[in-house]
Amino acid sequence: MKVFKFGGASVKDAAAVRNVGAIMQVQSVPANFILVVVSAMGKTTNALEQVFDKAFYQQDYQPALSQVQEYHNQIIKELFAEQHPVYEQVEELFQLLTEYLQTINPAALYDLQYDQVVSYGELLASIILKNYLQAVNLPSTWLDCRQVIRTDRIWREARLDWPETETKIKAVVKPLLETTHVITQGFLGGTDEGLTTTLGREGSDYSAAIFAHCLPAESVTIWKDVAGLLNADPKLFPDPILYPEISYQETVEMAYYGASVIHPKTIKPLANSHIPLYVKSFLNPEASGTIIHDCQHENITPAFIVKPHQCLISFQEKDYAFINESNLSTIFAALAQYRFKINLMQNSAISFSICTDYEANRLEMFRQSLQDQFNIHYNTRLTLFTIKNYDEPSVARLTQNQTILLEQRSRTTFQFVSKE
Ligand code: ASP
Ligand code: MG
């Protein structure tokens, strides 16, 4: 049993969907069925975020919604003959979405209602892909992943109920895979009450890992528009180098520091059950790409990771007292409460600083909760640079022409925060 994950770019138009069909034809040996996890097509999640935001703030969302609908209709028109049942299925999903949008309540939770809306991207993509695979004679069954991926009610960042999920995947999904490919959604989960949750933006990789861990699968392949795992983002660095092989630990750390290639939560469930993760290009499926698994590295090419939209928050006691452990515990409790992730921190005698993703609203609430106790200053429009497995030439190359606000190094990792 294998798990494949196809991201938004791999199903962004009709030609891309055909290409996924071709990959499935080549990869699926008879009687060896694949669980396919698919993301929303192209930029659909962003588009649905816009639709939802307008609906929530009582603005006209209809034009934005129509665009999403036309985009999907155009894709199915190119893929299917006129009478195909897919038209009705897609229509029905838009019907349900429209009905839900009419019930949106600005007095109710934003995040809860967000999840109910943006989840349609994955539902649409998976319905369309399942129909297409059937049309090219690949036995395929659609699975609503919300039946098996059980989560808590932390909207937009739901956490898994692992035992429940594992039981359900073993009971429902495993038997299906004996006779058919199973096409399901990334990014989504469901609560006991039947509400939809999401696992965090770009969470479809994590979904693939959840299924693989619970089945268990022999491997996971993430099909991307890059050749594999690279040591830098090709959009930011001219000549990135491909890692043919890399350990789970190196990958987890790269994802943690902000490498956008794999969702950070993906690795743990795979590493725990020693399931290899392949990262391959859907544009060049024959190329070997990267294998992420248990391995040792003697020396490894430095990785360059850039995390934009950072802010640096510094805390001082009002009376210039030292920052002590009890102050720190107050600060950490508030950080946890407002769900800030510390990307870097530094302590000095009278001041404590953290670098975190910038989010204006939450930062303001956080600041207010602590303002009686601390003087809090922050800088925004910052970037966090990380070099994993750095050497001096790589540090010199990355730091030139930068205005550095804070810098740190360990034996393996060099990091600095600089102005955008
Ligand atoms: N469609 C979701 C997103 O864009 C999940 C994913 O692509 O992994 O965030
Ligand atoms: Mg995506």
Side-chain angles (χ1 to χ4, degrees), residues 88-107:
E88 214 171 295
Q89 293 165 14
V90 167
E91 180 64 39
E92 197 182 307
L93 285 172
F94 277 104
Q95 192 66 39
L96 289 170
L97 173 57
T98 305
E99 280 165 23
Y100 185 80
L101 286 166
Q102 285 160 359
T103 68
I104 281 181
N105 176 2

Side-chain angles (χ1 to χ4, degrees), residues 103-114:
T103 68
I104 281 181
N105 176 2
L109 287 178
Y110 183 99
D111 289 350
L112 184 163
Q113 299 178 90
Y114 168 104

Side-chain angles (χ1 to χ4, degrees), residues 5 7-8 39 202:
K5 181 259 175 170
S39 299
E202 307 299 329

Side-chain angles (χ1 to χ4, degrees), residues 105-164:
N105 176 2
L109 287 178
Y110 183 99
D111 289 350
L112 184 163
Q113 299 178 90
Y114 168 104
D115 279 354
Q116 312 317 302
V117 171
V118 299
S119 47
Y120 278 88
E122 271 68 18
L123 296 174
L124 287 159
S126 55
I127 279 283
I128 294 170
L129 184 60
K130 171 255 180 185
N131 277 285
Y132 182 75
L133 296 179
Q134 285 179 336
V136 294
N137 294 321
L138 291 164
S140 301
T141 303
W142 185 76
L143 171 79
D144 185 338
C145 79
R146 297 169 298 182
Q147 292 176 357
V148 295
I149 307 269
R150 220 9 108 251
T151 73
D152 65 9
R153 296 162 56 96
I154 299 198
W155 316 105
R156 300 180 71 172
E157 238 175 280
R159 289 175 312 195
L160 223 64
D161 179 339
W162 279 100
E164 269 298 298

Side-chain angles (χ1 to χ4, degrees), residues 6-18:
F6 290 100
S10 69
V11 288
K12 71 174 196 284
D13 54 28
V17 175
R18 285 196 196 97

